[in-house]
Amino acid sequence: MSLSGLYVPLITPFAADGTVALAALERLAHDVLDAGASGVVALGTTGEPSSLSPVERAQVLDLVAAVCLARDAQVLVGANDATSLGSLKATAALTLVPPFVRPGEDGVVAYFRALAASSAVPLVIYHVPYRTAQPLSVATLRRLAGIPGVIGMKLATGAIDADTVALLADPPPRFAILGGDDVLISPLLALGAHGAVLASAHVATAAFAELTRSGDAGLGLRLARLSAALFAEPNPAVVKAVLHADGRIPTPDVRLPLLPATPGVRDAALAAGLGAAGPISAGTAVVP
């Protein structure tokens, strides 16, 4: 199985009455696939899964999986425990390095070895140490890549550090490295990342998809400015505010502990993603 190109971790849109806006979610999934995404992520952190009820999570997953099945597109699903992984129907599971407990590098390897052995689908490890508080050396990243059933990693270290460079300079065979830092995606692709998982790509999806194909540095710089504006407040508040302003979702609402984007930040993101050509939709290929 090969993972490459652009994957959009879908937000969960909410209706005015607070319920999940399933029709809007379905449109978003089709929009990003129409614009060139290789696939989507359901129930990733951008989708606010911890704020969803079990019924809502099942509704989201069923809908997104059905869209991807009909479109012959890949779907990654945020899943972090043996119960979820044992019955999951998806291309792969996006599984977080255990947060907060800091089990050490040997503990992380043992954890993923056990999860992969019990999972119904392959695993893509989500390594985001500035959130999990668990750093991993390049040697440990290579150990993880060698676990049967682990097929890739969303790499989001927050910097282009020495371990990132070493990993991308000599990537493990048959192991997809997907960049997960939106602002840094252009240099990550230039160093050899196979693709990207980007919440920013809800906006100007076609441009981000083109970046994963071409690596165009000028396009990457323009998109980095857009990503910086979209991440100026906790994700996905600003993304939702922009999508709502563009008429693509019914409300900009997020659920606690997140708060809606402040008007100034929303307007700055709109300015980054809007120009003389008018609204930036999923299909717009160039960012001003």
Side-chain angles (χ1 to χ4, degrees), residues 8-284:
V8 181
L10 292 172
I11 63 152
T12 302
F14 298 120
D17 64 1
T19 60
V20 176
L22 292 172
L25 177 61
E26 184 174 14
R27 286 194 300 272
L28 282 176
H30 281 293
D31 283 349
V32 299
L33 294 173
D34 286 342
S38 300
V40 299
V41 180
L43 302 178
T45 51
T46 297
E48 303 172 74
S50 63
S51 76
L52 303 179
S53 70
V55 170
E56 289 173 328
R57 289 195 293 271
Q59 289 174 328
V60 167
L61 180 53
D62 288 347
L63 185 151
V64 174
V67 170
C68 289
L69 179 62
R71 299 289 301 266
D72 194 26
Q74 294 178 329
V75 56
L76 310 183
V77 177
N80 299 294
D81 60 79
T83 300
S84 300
L85 291 166
S87 59
L88 200 61
K89 295 181 180 178
T91 305
L94 183 61
T95 305
L96 191 65
V97 170
F100 188 75
V101 295
R102 301 184 70 183
E105 293 183 286
D106 288 343
V108 170
V109 172
Y111 172 79
F112 279 110
R113 196 179 301 280
L115 278 186
S118 64
S119 178
V121 298
L123 303 186
V124 175
I125 295 171
Y126 185 8
H127 178 39
V128 55
Y130 53 88
R131 293 185 183 272
T132 65
Q134 177 60 68
L136 298 175
S137 67
V138 68
T140 296
L141 297 180
R142 295 188 186 283
R143 290 170 66 195
L144 292 170
I147 295 173
V150 172
I151 63 169
M153 174 172 288
K154 178 182 176 183
L155 188 65
T157 63
I160 307 294
D161 57 16
D163 282 346
T164 298
V165 172
L167 182 68
L168 289 169
D170 184 21
R174 297 175 297 281
F175 184 75
I177 301 170
L178 305 175
D181 286 310
D182 293 46
V183 174
L184 297 177
I185 192 55
S186 184
L188 286 169
L189 290 167
L191 287 168
H194 301 98
V197 180
L198 304 174
S200 300
H202 283 87
V203 182
T205 313
F208 280 103
E210 173 60 26
L211 180 64
T212 64
R213 292 190 296 268
S214 70
D216 181 271
L219 178 59
L221 177 60
R222 296 195 295 274
L223 291 174
R225 294 193 188 108
L226 174 58
S227 292
L230 290 170
F231 275 80
E233 291 181 343
N235 185 54
V238 186
V239 171
K240 282 189 162 185
V242 170
L243 291 176
H244 177 249
D246 201 30
R248 296 175 62 198
I249 58 175
T251 75
D253 295 350
V254 291
R255 288 181 178 172
L256 291 172
L258 295 172
L259 296 174
T262 54
V265 169
R266 177 203 60 205
D267 292 346
L270 285 167
L274 304 174
I280 296 280
S281 68
T284 305

